[in-house]
Amino acid sequence: MDFAARHQAYLVRIETGLDSLLPAANARPARLHEAMRYSLQAGGKRLRPVLVLAAADLVESPPHDPLAAAVAVECLHTYSLIHDDLPCMDNDDLRRGRPTCHRAFDEATALLAGDALLTHAFRLLSASYAATPAHAHALIHELSHAASSEELIGGQMEDLLAEKQTDADAKQLVFIHLNKTAAMIRAALVMGGLCANLPLDAIDALRTLGRELGLTFQIVDDILDATSDSATLGKTVGKDVRDNKVTFIKLYGLDGARRSAREHTDAALAALDRLPGDTAFLRALIKTMLERKN
Ligand code: GRG
């Protein structure tokens, strides 16, 4: 398997899907649709949609086309980034290498663009899989749970609350990382698995894989925030210390954080071993997580 070629093919498919499955930039009101596309098409690693496509490709011809599911996940992820950057949240100026949505447009437009991307994700799932209602329901259930007050938004809430504490502990840290970050990564893998009609034990393995990969991803994110630069990351660095965030580095130091990232990667690879089909791409992707530079 040529990892780079397959990754590139996924990225091309995702960009095409994002362009064709979103309302046109000139659809009324154009300012709102421009803002949605501005943030969505600004680039980004597209990790979550790649995971959807790669999990679906564990079987040779997935019975359900996973592209709309991949686009829905990226819409939801981008909404969370737009809202995370708002002045009432992280108050950030830079995202995906360009001014944040509220800087490029204005705060109200950014809020609405985030709302609209969140809503569009579910509209897309219900419309694209309407011919197979049970499958549409399973995808909507998975994504809405990951995006809910008990997962993504709950993680964000606890993250904000922890900033006001001086004694946030490891239990809080894991809750935040599992929900703010790992839940969406897990949902992406499971949604891909659902498109492939994988059996329950394989879906369960994808859940464990997503949880472990999500923790690795966030620990590496914390390491990059402390050690990299804005030009490489395309977003502000040093924010965790500035905002008094609880991170693995704060609790265990840089070496402890690196060790922990390796342990969670090993756990992700162990879960991968329980999956059927061709796991080579996912295995290679998991391994790149430890070395990622942005
Ligand atoms: C409902 C008002 C309101 C807000 C919701 C849920 C939420 C705000 C924010 C959480 C979003 C967040 C910042 C999660 C952290 C996960 C993370 C590390 C995101 C960055 O992901 P990358 O690096 O980004 O994959 P790219 O740009 O590459 O897609």
Side-chain angles (χ1 to χ4, degrees):
M1 182 213 49
D2 182 340
F3 174 78
R6 190 153 152 196
H7 190 235
Q8 186 55 32
Y10 282 147
L11 293 179
V12 169
R13 210 165 135 203
I14 290 162
E15 295 311 318
T16 308
L18 288 170
D19 190 43
S20 62
L21 294 174
L22 223 70
N26 63 0
R28 187 172 172 181
R31 185 171 173 80
L32 177 61
H33 294 110
E34 275 164 25
M36 290 162 72
R37 281 177 175 265
Y38 171 84
S39 287
L40 196 60
Q41 296 182 313
K45 294 178 287 297
R46 309 299 192 206
L47 170 66
R48 295 148 195 84
V50 165
L51 289 174
V52 176
L53 300 185
D57 278 345
L58 284 167
V59 299
E60 212 160 292
S61 300
H64 306 279
D65 183 347
L67 186 59
V71 170
V73 169
E74 188 64 10
C75 285
L76 206 138
H77 168 62
T78 304
Y79 126 77
S80 79
L81 299 182
I82 294 174
H83 281 195
D84 188 55
D85 291 334
L86 286 172
C88 63
M89 299 263 168
D90 270 5
N91 193 17
D92 230 312
D93 295 338
L94 191 67
R95 173 69 70 180
R96 293 179 162 171
R98 46 207 287 207
T100 47
C101 194
H102 66 276
R103 290 267 172 242
F105 292 82
D106 56 73
E107 212 175 316
T109 305
L111 186 75
L112 293 176
D115 291 341
L117 284 170
L118 167 63
T119 311
H120 190 69
F122 295 103
R123 178 184 172 191
L124 200 53
L125 292 177
S126 62
S128 306
Y129 302 101
T132 47
H135 177 59
H137 173 266
L139 293 175
I140 290 169
H141 179 75
E142 192 62 36
L143 190 60
S144 60
H145 193 265
S148 73
S149 58
E150 290 176 286
E151 297 213 314
L152 177 68
I153 300 176
Q156 176 78 350
M157 184 79 242
E158 292 237 358
D159 196 26
L160 294 174
L161 291 172
E163 283 179 25
K164 306 211 166 23
Q165 279 182 249
T166 49
D167 58 349
D169 61 18
K171 260 179 128 171
Q172 279 169 283
L173 175 66
V174 171
F175 180 92
I176 292 166
H177 282 193
L178 275 179
N179 292 292
K180 198 177 93 162
T181 307
M184 284 300 296
I185 288 177
R186 185 206 65 217
L189 284 162
V190 170
M191 288 167 75
L194 291 170
C195 289
N197 266 355
L198 292 185
L200 275 180
D201 59 336
I203 296 289
D204 189 51
L206 285 172
R207 281 189 202 290
T208 308
L209 167 47
R211 172 194 155 96
E212 298 300 332
L213 185 62
L215 288 172
T216 302
F217 184 84
Q218 185 58 55
I219 295 168
V220 172
D221 216 67
D222 292 351
I223 293 171
L224 292 174
D225 182 78
T227 59
S228 188
D229 55 82
S230 289
T232 310
L233 289 187
K235 59 182 181 182
T236 315
V237 293
K239 279 196 308 182
D240 293 341
V241 170
R242 182 198 74 188
D243 296 339
N244 187 36
K245 296 264 187 208
V246 53
T247 65
F248 270 76
I249 299 172
K250 191 174 179 182
L251 294 186
Y252 306 116
L254 206 46
D255 285 346
R258 288 194 173 116
R259 198 174 324 116
S260 188
R262 280 196 298 276
E263 285 165 6
H264 288 294
T265 299
D266 289 344
L269 291 170
L272 186 83
D273 286 340
R274 291 163 47 206
L275 286 171
D278 178 6
T279 56
F281 179 83
L282 277 173
R283 185 176 305 281
L285 186 66
I286 292 168
K287 288 182 179 164
T288 64
M289 285 298 129
L290 281 176
E291 284 110 47
R292 73 183 176 95
K293 299 278 178 270
N294 68 1

